[in-house]
Amino acid sequence: MAELKVTQTKSVIGGKQNQKDTLRTLGLRRIGQSVVREDKPEVRGMIQTVAHLVSVEEVD
C-alpha cells in the first residue's frame, strides 16, 4: 500500500480547535515537521480538513 508524507507548512495559530486537534492526531506539532502515514480514507479525510496548512507527497 502507498504511503503519504505529510509536512506542516503553515501555523495553526488562529485556527479552529478541530484543525489543531487534527494536526496533533496526524503527529504534527511544528512548521516543517513531516510524518509518513498509510494512504487510508481516514488519513485522507484528516488531510482534507487541514489541506491549507500542510503539503502532501506520495511515497512508495
Side-chain angles (χ1 to χ4, degrees):
M1 180 167 270
E3 294 186 327
L4 300 173
K5 180 179 179 181
V6 185
T7 305
Q8 185 175 348
T9 57
K10 292 187 180 180
S11 174
V12 74
I13 293 175
K16 296 180 182 178
Q17 187 63 42
N18 69 326
Q19 294 170 346
K20 294 177 185 181
D21 295 341
T22 301
L23 283 178
R24 286 291 170 105
T25 303
L26 283 169
L28 298 169
R29 295 177 177 259
R30 63 183 68 88
I31 297 172
Q33 185 177 7
S34 298
V35 293
V36 177
R37 297 283 180 244
E38 284 189 44
D39 188 3
K40 296 181 180 179
E42 298 87 5
V43 174
R44 290 277 183 168
M46 287 190 280
I47 291 171
Q48 188 174 9
T49 302
V50 293
H52 60 290
L53 302 174
V54 298
S55 64
V56 181
E57 302 173 29
E58 191 168 327
V59 179
D60 291 328

